[in-house]
PDB file of all heavy atoms in Angstrom:
ATOM      1  N   ARG A1363      19.362   3.440   1.642  1.00  0.00           N
ATOM      2  CA  ARG A1363      20.056   2.958   2.839  1.00  0.00           C
ATOM      3  C   ARG A1363      21.555   2.815   2.644  1.00  0.00           C
ATOM      4  O   ARG A1363      22.309   2.890   3.612  1.00  0.00           O
ATOM      5  CB  ARG A1363      19.492   1.606   3.272  1.00  0.00           C
ATOM      6  CG  ARG A1363      18.110   1.665   3.866  1.00  0.00           C
ATOM      7  CD  ARG A1363      17.698   0.332   4.454  1.00  0.00           C
ATOM      8  NE  ARG A1363      18.583  -0.076   5.548  1.00  0.00           N
ATOM      9  CZ  ARG A1363      18.491  -1.235   6.191  1.00  0.00           C
ATOM     10  NH1 ARG A1363      17.588  -2.115   5.832  1.00  0.00           N
ATOM     11  NH2 ARG A1363      19.320  -1.518   7.180  1.00  0.00           N
ATOM     12  N   SER A1364      22.014   2.563   1.415  1.00  0.00           N
ATOM     13  CA  SER A1364      23.429   2.243   1.246  1.00  0.00           C
ATOM     14  C   SER A1364      23.961   2.729  -0.098  1.00  0.00           C
ATOM     15  O   SER A1364      23.198   3.066  -1.012  1.00  0.00           O
ATOM     16  CB  SER A1364      23.640   0.727   1.352  1.00  0.00           C
ATOM     17  OG  SER A1364      22.987   0.065   0.288  1.00  0.00           O
ATOM     18  N   GLU A1365      25.280   2.753  -0.194  1.00  0.00           N
ATOM     19  CA  GLU A1365      25.953   3.154  -1.437  1.00  0.00           C
ATOM     20  C   GLU A1365      25.528   2.272  -2.606  1.00  0.00           C
ATOM     21  O   GLU A1365      25.445   2.735  -3.746  1.00  0.00           O
ATOM     22  CB  GLU A1365      27.472   3.054  -1.246  1.00  0.00           C
ATOM     23  CG  GLU A1365      28.068   4.044  -0.265  1.00  0.00           C
ATOM     24  CD  GLU A1365      28.244   5.429  -0.869  1.00  0.00           C
ATOM     25  OE1 GLU A1365      28.184   5.538  -2.101  1.00  0.00           O
ATOM     26  OE2 GLU A1365      28.417   6.389  -0.091  1.00  0.00           O
ATOM     27  N   SER A1366      25.237   1.002  -2.311  1.00  0.00           N
ATOM     28  CA  SER A1366      24.898   0.070  -3.394  1.00  0.00           C
ATOM     29  C   SER A1366      23.591   0.435  -4.087  1.00  0.00           C
ATOM     30  O   SER A1366      23.328  -0.034  -5.195  1.00  0.00           O
ATOM     31  CB  SER A1366      24.820  -1.363  -2.853  1.00  0.00           C
ATOM     32  OG  SER A1366      23.809  -1.461  -1.857  1.00  0.00           O
ATOM     33  N   ASP A1367      22.751   1.252  -3.422  1.00  0.00           N
ATOM     34  CA  ASP A1367      21.473   1.648  -4.016  1.00  0.00           C
ATOM     35  C   ASP A1367      21.578   2.911  -4.863  1.00  0.00           C
ATOM     36  O   ASP A1367      20.599   3.317  -5.500  1.00  0.00           O
ATOM     37  CB  ASP A1367      20.431   1.885  -2.916  1.00  0.00           C
ATOM     38  CG  ASP A1367      20.032   0.608  -2.203  1.00  0.00           C
ATOM     39  OD1 ASP A1367      19.996  -0.441  -2.866  1.00  0.00           O
ATOM     40  OD2 ASP A1367      19.768   0.671  -0.995  1.00  0.00           O
ATOM     41  N   LYS A1368      22.754   3.540  -4.855  1.00  0.00           N
ATOM     42  CA  LYS A1368      22.887   4.820  -5.555  1.00  0.00           C
ATOM     43  C   LYS A1368      22.579   4.709  -7.044  1.00  0.00           C
ATOM     44  O   LYS A1368      21.892   5.549  -7.615  1.00  0.00           O
ATOM     45  CB  LYS A1368      24.300   5.376  -5.372  1.00  0.00           C
ATOM     46  CG  LYS A1368      24.508   6.183  -4.103  1.00  0.00           C
ATOM     47  CD  LYS A1368      25.883   6.843  -4.120  1.00  0.00           C
ATOM     48  CE  LYS A1368      26.021   7.837  -2.970  1.00  0.00           C
ATOM     49  NZ  LYS A1368      27.349   8.498  -2.994  1.00  0.00           N
ATOM     50  N   ALA A1369      23.114   3.669  -7.674  1.00  0.00           N
ATOM     51  CA  ALA A1369      22.927   3.519  -9.118  1.00  0.00           C
ATOM     52  C   ALA A1369      21.449   3.368  -9.463  1.00  0.00           C
ATOM     53  O   ALA A1369      20.964   3.968 -10.427  1.00  0.00           O
ATOM     54  CB  ALA A1369      23.722   2.325  -9.633  1.00  0.00           C
ATOM     55  N   ARG A1370      20.718   2.583  -8.660  1.00  0.00           N
ATOM     56  CA  ARG A1370      19.286   2.385  -8.936  1.00  0.00           C
ATOM     57  C   ARG A1370      18.527   3.696  -8.797  1.00  0.00           C
ATOM     58  O   ARG A1370      17.661   4.013  -9.623  1.00  0.00           O
ATOM     59  CB  ARG A1370      18.706   1.337  -7.989  1.00  0.00           C
ATOM     60  CG  ARG A1370      19.053  -0.091  -8.354  1.00  0.00           C
ATOM     61  CD  ARG A1370      18.240  -1.077  -7.539  1.00  0.00           C
ATOM     62  NE  ARG A1370      18.603  -1.055  -6.128  1.00  0.00           N
ATOM     63  CZ  ARG A1370      17.903  -1.651  -5.176  1.00  0.00           C
ATOM     64  NH1 ARG A1370      16.779  -2.294  -5.478  1.00  0.00           N
ATOM     65  NH2 ARG A1370      18.306  -1.610  -3.926  1.00  0.00           N
ATOM     66  N   ALA A1371      18.845   4.465  -7.772  1.00  0.00           N
ATOM     67  CA  ALA A1371      18.167   5.747  -7.585  1.00  0.00           C
ATOM     68  C   ALA A1371      18.475   6.693  -8.736  1.00  0.00           C
ATOM     69  O   ALA A1371      17.578   7.382  -9.251  1.00  0.00           O
ATOM     70  CB  ALA A1371      18.596   6.366  -6.258  1.00  0.00           C
ATOM     71  N   SER A1372      19.724   6.724  -9.171  1.00  0.00           N
ATOM     72  CA  SER A1372      20.108   7.604 -10.270  1.00  0.00           C
ATOM     73  C   SER A1372      19.430   7.200 -11.570  1.00  0.00           C
ATOM     74  O   SER A1372      19.007   8.054 -12.363  1.00  0.00           O
ATOM     75  CB  SER A1372      21.630   7.593 -10.440  1.00  0.00           C
ATOM     76  OG  SER A1372      22.273   8.086  -9.285  1.00  0.00           O
ATOM     77  N   GLN A1373      19.307   5.887 -11.803  1.00  0.00           N
ATOM     78  CA  GLN A1373      18.637   5.413 -13.011  1.00  0.00           C
ATOM     79  C   GLN A1373      17.182   5.841 -13.061  1.00  0.00           C
ATOM     80  O   GLN A1373      16.613   6.041 -14.144  1.00  0.00           O
ATOM     81  CB  GLN A1373      18.740   3.887 -13.103  1.00  0.00           C
ATOM     82  CG  GLN A1373      20.131   3.380 -13.444  1.00  0.00           C
ATOM     83  CD  GLN A1373      20.274   1.890 -13.248  1.00  0.00           C
ATOM     84  OE1 GLN A1373      19.314   1.192 -12.879  1.00  0.00           O
ATOM     85  NE2 GLN A1373      21.470   1.358 -13.478  1.00  0.00           N
ATOM     86  N   LEU A1374      16.562   5.990 -11.891  1.00  0.00           N
ATOM     87  CA  LEU A1374      15.170   6.439 -11.832  1.00  0.00           C
ATOM     88  C   LEU A1374      15.041   7.945 -12.054  1.00  0.00           C
ATOM     89  O   LEU A1374      13.935   8.454 -12.228  1.00  0.00           O
ATOM     90  CB  LEU A1374      14.565   6.069 -10.469  1.00  0.00           C
ATOM     91  CG  LEU A1374      14.401   4.576 -10.179  1.00  0.00           C
ATOM     92  CD1 LEU A1374      13.992   4.369  -8.720  1.00  0.00           C
ATOM     93  CD2 LEU A1374      13.366   3.953 -11.112  1.00  0.00           C
ATOM     94  N   GLY A1375      16.175   8.643 -12.013  1.00  0.00           N
ATOM     95  CA  GLY A1375      16.155  10.083 -12.241  1.00  0.00           C
ATOM     96  C   GLY A1375      16.265  10.913 -10.980  1.00  0.00           C
ATOM     97  O   GLY A1375      16.089  12.136 -11.017  1.00  0.00           O
ATOM     98  N   ALA A1376      16.565  10.261  -9.844  1.00  0.00           N
ATOM     99  CA  ALA A1376      16.621  10.963  -8.566  1.00  0.00           C
ATOM    100  C   ALA A1376      18.060  11.191  -8.126  1.00  0.00           C
ATOM    101  O   ALA A1376      18.981  10.477  -8.536  1.00  0.00           O
ATOM    102  CB  ALA A1376      15.879  10.163  -7.499  1.00  0.00           C
ATOM    103  N   VAL A1377      18.236  12.170  -7.254  1.00  0.00           N
ATOM    104  CA  VAL A1377      19.521  12.414  -6.609  1.00  0.00           C
ATOM    105  C   VAL A1377      19.540  11.597  -5.321  1.00  0.00           C
ATOM    106  O   VAL A1377      18.686  11.795  -4.446  1.00  0.00           O
ATOM    107  CB  VAL A1377      19.700  13.907  -6.281  1.00  0.00           C
ATOM    108  CG1 VAL A1377      21.014  14.136  -5.542  1.00  0.00           C
ATOM    109  CG2 VAL A1377      19.608  14.753  -7.541  1.00  0.00           C
ATOM    110  N   PRO A1378      20.465  10.653  -5.158  1.00  0.00           N
ATOM    111  CA  PRO A1378      20.457   9.812  -3.958  1.00  0.00           C
ATOM    112  C   PRO A1378      21.009  10.537  -2.729  1.00  0.00           C
ATOM    113  O   PRO A1378      21.984  11.283  -2.818  1.00  0.00           O
ATOM    114  CB  PRO A1378      21.354   8.638  -4.347  1.00  0.00           C
ATOM    115  CG  PRO A1378      22.249   9.160  -5.425  1.00  0.00           C
ATOM    116  CD  PRO A1378      21.479  10.227  -6.138  1.00  0.00           C
ATOM    117  N   VAL A1379      20.344  10.306  -1.592  1.00  0.00           N
ATOM    118  CA  VAL A1379      20.859  10.735  -0.289  1.00  0.00           C
ATOM    119  C   VAL A1379      20.756   9.524   0.629  1.00  0.00           C
ATOM    120  O   VAL A1379      19.750   8.818   0.621  1.00  0.00           O
ATOM    121  CB  VAL A1379      20.080  11.939   0.287  1.00  0.00           C
ATOM    122  CG1 VAL A1379      20.352  13.194  -0.524  1.00  0.00           C
ATOM    123  CG2 VAL A1379      18.589  11.671   0.347  1.00  0.00           C
ATOM    124  N   ILE A1380      21.804   9.274   1.398  1.00  0.00           N
ATOM    125  CA  ILE A1380      21.889   8.024   2.162  1.00  0.00           C
ATOM    126  C   ILE A1380      21.455   8.227   3.607  1.00  0.00           C
ATOM    127  O   ILE A1380      21.911   9.158   4.277  1.00  0.00           O
ATOM    128  CB  ILE A1380      23.315   7.456   2.111  1.00  0.00           C
ATOM    129  CG1 ILE A1380      23.681   7.097   0.662  1.00  0.00           C
ATOM    130  CG2 ILE A1380      23.447   6.218   3.000  1.00  0.00           C
ATOM    131  CD1 ILE A1380      25.107   6.617   0.489  1.00  0.00           C
ATOM    132  N   ALA A1381      20.560   7.354   4.077  1.00  0.00           N
ATOM    133  CA  ALA A1381      20.140   7.363   5.478  1.00  0.00           C
ATOM    134  C   ALA A1381      19.396   6.083   5.792  1.00  0.00           C
ATOM    135  O   ALA A1381      18.611   5.592   4.978  1.00  0.00           O
ATOM    136  CB  ALA A1381      19.243   8.565   5.769  1.00  0.00           C
TER     137      ALA A1381
END
Side-chain angles (χ1 to χ4, degrees):
R1363 288 188 62 184
S1364 65
E1365 293 281 344
S1366 61
D1367 292 326
K1368 274 188 171 181
R1370 283 191 292 168
S1372 298
Q1373 288 168 2
L1374 294 171
V1377 177
V1379 291
I1380 297 176

